[in-house]
Structure formats: C-alpha cells, structure tokens
C-alpha cells in the first residue's frame, strides 16, 4: 500500500532537522541557481518549463514520458517525485469501469547535493508501488476533480495526501510548503496525480511554483493520454498485421521454409506486404509474395482479400499465370485505385521443377550450393489491378540444396539506392552467406534471412519488408512410386499388389494391411466414377503418403452409412485408419490422399 511510503525515504533524508524559513521579504528561488530578482525568477521559470515540456513531449511511450518528467524536475525543481496513474488507464473516449484506483507508477529522488550518489544508510531507496482507491466525496477526489495543484500543508491537500499514502501515519512530511500534489488530467478525465517533494533543508515551494507544477502536470497528462492511445492503435495494428500473415509456415515434404516481416516504421506498422506458403495436391507447394501499394489499414485490408483469393485459387490447382489473372480481376473489383505486385511460384519436389509467374514484382534470387547466387530472369508483367494483361509463366530447374529468396521491394529499394542496385546487393549478400557455409552445405535458412536483412540500415528502410526463403530438398526418385491403372474391375486388386510390393521394398511392411485396404477402397470409388485411367502414387518422406487421382471433379464427402447401405463406408475407413486424409480438385479432375506415420 502507498501507506507504507515514507516522506524521508521519498526525500532521501534520515532525521535531518528542518532549517529556519527564509524571511518573508526575501522570496525563495525556484531552483538552486535562481537569482534574487523577481524578473530573473520568472525568466528562469519560463526556461525551465520550456525545457521540461520539450523533454516530455518528445517521448511516445508511457514509461518514457514519466521518466522524462522525473529527469526534468530532479533536482532543479524538486528533490523527490511520485507519479501515480489510474489502474487501468482509460483509452480515448472509453468510459472507465469499476472503482477509481491509483497505482504508484514511478518514484524517484535526486542524489545528494554534493553530486554523489547517496549511501544506503542516509538515502533509503524509493518505496515499492502500491494501490489507492479514490472514494467519491473524499478530499483526494475533490483535489483530483479540481485539477489545480495544491500545497499539501493546506487542509484539502493534507487530507488528500493522507488518503493517497494511507492512514497509518507512516508518511510524515516536513513542515512548510515542501510538497505539491498536482492532478494529471488528460483530454477527457483525470488519469492520475504527481507529488513533487523537497527536502527539509531545501527552500520550500512558493505560490508561483504551483503554476510550474500545473504546466508540468498538463503536458505530462496529455503525453500519457497520447501514449496510451498510440499504444492501443499500435496493438490493433500489430494484431491486424499478424492475422493477415501466416502464424506458422507449413512443413510440406521436400522443402524447408523461413520468413521475415518488418514494418516500415513504428509509426506505420500496417502495410500491404504479405507472403504465403500453400501446400498443394501432389506434394507441391505454392510460394507467394506480394505488395499492395500504401501503408494504411486500407492497404492491409486489400492485402488480406488478395491473400485469401490467392489461397482459394491455389486450392483449385490453377497454374501460376491463371492465379495472377484472377487476382487481377479481383483487384479491379475492389477498386481501380488499388494495385499490387505479386510473384506466384509452384514447386514440385518430385520433378525438381518450379513454375513462376510475375506481376510487376522484383525477380527472385536463387542461391545455389557453394554460394553462387543468380537473379532469375522472367517476364516482369504488369501489376495486379491494371487489367487486360496476359501473364506468362516460366518453368525452371530447382536443384536440391538451392534456396529461393522471394521478397518485396522494401528490401532492395530506398532513397539511397534504386531497385536494381539493391537487387545486385541482395545477390552479393546471399552469395557471401552461402560461401561462408562451405562448398557442400547450404547456409541455415534463419541465418540467411538475418544476414539478408542486415543489408538494410536503420535509416535506409522506407517501405515494409516481406521475405520468404525456400530451401529445395526435393524427393529422390527412389522414394516415389507411380502407376496408371485402367478403369476396370481388376484395378483394385492390382493396386493392392503394387502397394504391398512397394511397401516391402521400402521396409514398411507394418503398414501393408491398412494401406492395402484404403487403396482398394479409394481405387474402387475412382473406377466407379471415371472412364479414364486412375493414377496411384506413393511418396515416402517423413510420412507415407498415398494419392489416388481420377478425372471426376466431384469431391467425395464423408458420411455415416446406415446398416442397410451397401456403399458409403470407404471414406469412413480412411478417416478412422489414416493419420490424415483429404481431397482436392485439379485442373484435370481430383485427387484423394491419405497419410500414415512411418514406423
């Protein structure tokens, strides 16, 4: 409780008797170096208030504002200071709920007058934070409602200080006007109070010091209001940006991923940059990075809609150029003024190939094992939202151990360099990191991302930065088995034999019975609904994955079969026996898959 505070602890004295009061005809100075003349005193006060308010107004953080107030008044205006703030602090126009409670936020004191730090015996430490409930109609409530600073040796001030510090008498002030209680009023309501204290051997406060205390309290309260409101807006911005970006990256077979996102500045935390990694049917993965023009809530909202659209289009199995085409149409529906750049790539770990389409975005950088880095050349395309543009896709080799870097222009373009100079610096930086890792091993993805971001200096970042790094491990041919089965009655039995033979070669006989059963059920369903060959593929990665494809676009649905039904139990068995399963549409039909954990 604040009642445990000690005036001697706050002022940093221990049993020092008070000095005699100065004569009435000799007004006390406002600071240790104040001149005797009234005009000089007023000038000193003005300079002090101006310097103090500048120090307070520079800060944007709550703790920095309170610390700035303490540094401004110690020791030139007071020897000790206690800042009590409302708990919790109201934000903006919201009405506080619950009782009016003050919490000691900071207590500070000046060092000894000889300029050295006080010893523990003569200068006790400042008291610990406590709580004080402001009761309606009390002296403290009346002082806070009056807003104006008061001396604590007045009747109202003495009662208010007693309530603030507790009624146990532990807080005993020296005689005279050596404490000022100044309410902190923000734009809407009182948010706390500050107590200025002087030692018994120091000159007491005078009436004009109440004006100084009022100015300090007003600027501090407005700054605290600003900091709390900014903190709430920053929290909302952070939450919005976090929900717009992936919380975690997936772990598809044959590829490893790492990503970074940096806002343009603390004052522009929300932007239109995004990245994504979307697992696709057949073990493939879509890599996306995009940049909506602007740094606002609107840009973030447009980015969220485009990212959702890209995820939906990716689930349909469309090629990269078709995805960009539909994104372009979506951007035009959102408004002609909304444009974005985007790069969409699909990596196939089985074929070790990657297909990339670009819509006005900076080209990716491919880092090969050993440290050779190259900028991939591809048709640039027009930004999304222009309309009437045909996008092109290129297919390239994705060698094992290579790393693809996708990024937004904030990484390579600024006031200090053009975009192509930045891309060349990025290529050189990636190559240097790759060579440091050694000739036969690629650099760690997290280290690579950190090194790449180091090329951007503190004053060199004008835009958001999104970075997505993809390491191509691939799936070796020996871990892939693929067959095409004619849609006839013998297909399920043939699929069972092929699956068992492959599991035996992979030393996975323990899964043989379950895999055979599920393969038989799904191939039977596929043969029943198609007239073209059915595909069967087995992949051995960290799990065993089985995929059955046909040309029928209708996706199967899980349902509970009735006792009299002859069909409808296949997917029920798949859901009960497999670790995971799913179905997805392809441009040529659909694929149904399931996975088992490897023994």
């Amino acid at each position: 409780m604040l009642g445990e505070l000690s005036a001697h602890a706050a002022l940093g004295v221990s049993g020092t008797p008070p000095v005699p009061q100065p004569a009435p005809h000799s007004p006390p100075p406002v600071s240790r170096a104040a001149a005797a003349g009234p005009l000089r005193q007023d000038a000193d006060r003005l300079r002090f208030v101006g310097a103090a308010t500048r120090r307070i107004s520079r800060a944007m953080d709550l703790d920095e504002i309170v610390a700035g107030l303490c540094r401004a008044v110690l020791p030139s205006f007071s020897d000790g200071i206690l800042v009590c703030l409302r708990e919790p602090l109201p934000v903006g126009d919201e009405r506080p709920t619950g009782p009016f409670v003050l919490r000691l936020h900071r207590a500070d004191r000046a060092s000894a007058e000889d300029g050295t730090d006080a010893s523990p015996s003569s200068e006790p430490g400042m008291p610990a934070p406590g709580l004080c409930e402001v009761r309606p109609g009390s002296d403290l409530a009346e002082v806070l409602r009056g807003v104006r600073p008061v001396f604590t040796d007045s009747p109202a001030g003495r009662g208010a200080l007693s309530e603030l510090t507790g009624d146990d008498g532990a807080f005993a002030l020296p005689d005279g006007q050596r404490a000022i209680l100044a309410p902190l009023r923000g734009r809407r309501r009182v948010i706390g109070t500050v107590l200025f204290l002087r030692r018994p051997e120091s000159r007491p406060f005078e009436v004009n010091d109440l004006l100084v205390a009022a100015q300090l309290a007003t600027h501090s309260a407005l700054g605290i209001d600003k900091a709390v409101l900014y903190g709430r807006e920053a929290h909302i911005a952070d939450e919005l940006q976090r929900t717009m970006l992936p919380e975690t990256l997936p772990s598809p077979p044959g590829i490893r991923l790492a990503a970074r996102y940096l806002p343009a500045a603390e004052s522009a935390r929300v932007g239109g940059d995004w990245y994504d990694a979307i697992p696709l049917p057949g073990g493939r993965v879509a890599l996306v990075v995009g940049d909506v023009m602007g740094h606002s809530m609107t840009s973030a909202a447009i980015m969220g809609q485009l990212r959702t659209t890209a995820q939906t289009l990716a689930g349909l199995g469309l090629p990269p150029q078709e995805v960009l085409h539909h994104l372009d149409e979506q951007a035009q529906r959102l408004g002609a003024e909304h444009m974005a750049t985007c790069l969409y790539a699909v990596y196939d770990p089985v074929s070790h190939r990657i297909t990339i389409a670009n819509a006005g975005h900076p080209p990716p950088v491919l880092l090969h094992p050993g440290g050779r880095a190259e900028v991939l050349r591809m048709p640039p395309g027009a930004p999304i939202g222009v309309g009437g543009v045909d996008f092109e896709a290129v297919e390239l080799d994705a060698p094992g151990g290579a790393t693809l870097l996708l990024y937004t222009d904030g990484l390579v373009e600024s006031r200090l360099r053009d975009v192509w100079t930045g891309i060349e610096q990025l290529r050189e930086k990636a190559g240097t990191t790759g060579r440091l890792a050694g000739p036969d091993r690629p650099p760690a993805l997290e280290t690579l991302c950190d090194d790449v971001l180091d090329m951007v200096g503190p004053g060199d970042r004008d835009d958001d930065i999104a970075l997505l790094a993809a390491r191509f491990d691939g799936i070796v041919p020996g871990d892939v088995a693929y067959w095409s089965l004619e849609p006839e009655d013998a297909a399920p039995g043939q699929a069972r034999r092929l699956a068992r033979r492959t599991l035996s070669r992979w030393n996975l006989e323990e899964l043989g019975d379950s895999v055979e059963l599920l393969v038989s059920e799904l191939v039977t369903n596929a043969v029943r609904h198609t007239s073209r060959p059915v595909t069967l593929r087995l992949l051995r990665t960290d799990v065993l994955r089985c995929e059955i494809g046909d040309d029928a676009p209708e996706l199967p649905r899980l349902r509970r079969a009735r006792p009299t039904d002859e069909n409808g139990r296949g997917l029920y068995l798949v859901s009960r026996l497999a670790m995971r399963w799913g179905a997805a549409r392809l441009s040529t039909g659909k694929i149904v898959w399931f996975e088992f954990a490897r023994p």
Side-chain angles (χ1 to χ4, degrees), residues 133-138 141-142:
E133 181 176 348
V134 181
R135 296 182 297 274
S138 64
E142 292 301 318

Side-chain angles (χ1 to χ4, degrees), residues 28 30 41-50 206 208-209 212:
V30 70
Q41 286 184 358
D42 293 340
D44 287 345
R45 286 191 179 94
L46 288 175
R47 283 194 295 269
F48 167 74
V49 171
E206 61 182 42
N208 287 337
D209 290 330
V212 176

Side-chain angles (χ1 to χ4, degrees), residues 203-290:
R203 293 183 181 273
F205 291 109
E206 61 182 42
V207 174
N208 287 337
D209 290 330
L210 293 176
L211 300 177
V212 176
Q215 288 290 323
L216 295 174
T218 298
H219 285 276
S220 300
L222 294 177
I224 292 171
D225 242 8
K226 173 189 65 177
V228 173
L229 185 59
Y230 173 75
R232 171 65 63 85
E233 292 178 350
H235 174 73
I236 294 174
D238 288 341
E239 288 296 308
L240 176 62
Q241 193 71 51
R242 184 184 61 81
T243 56
M244 293 293 185
L245 297 174
E247 291 189 10
T248 58
L249 292 171
S251 301
I255 187 173
R256 284 176 286 171
L257 302 168
R260 295 289 189 275
Y261 175 82
L262 294 179
E266 287 296 317
S267 57
R269 304 168 74 94
V270 178
D273 292 22
W274 90 92
Y275 62 87
D276 214 343
I278 310 166
L280 301 177
R284 301 172 301 151
V285 60
L287 307 173
V288 193
V289 65

Side-chain angles (χ1 to χ4, degrees), residues 162-187:
S162 177
E163 294 177 41
L164 183 66
T165 59
D167 298 325
D168 55 2
F171 198 101
L173 279 175
D175 295 333
Q177 295 177 346
R178 287 183 167 81
I180 295 177
L181 187 62
L184 296 171
R185 178 176 173 82
R187 293 172 178 83

Side-chain angles (χ1 to χ4, degrees), residues 11-12 14 50 76 82 105 110 140 156 209 215 263 277 283 311 398 457 475 491 497:
L11 300 178
S14 178
S76 57
L82 292 90
H105 186 83
L140 180 58
D209 290 330
Q215 288 290 323
Q311 290 178 327
I475 300 176
R497 292 190 297 272

Side-chain angles (χ1 to χ4, degrees), residues 42 64 145 213 265 298 337 343 377 427 435 454 500 527:
D42 293 340
E64 291 178 359
R145 188 175 64 176
T298 302
E337 70 279 9
L343 193 144
R377 301 296 179 179
R427 186 192 66 80
R435 286 188 293 273
D454 284 343
R500 178 169 289 279
V527 168

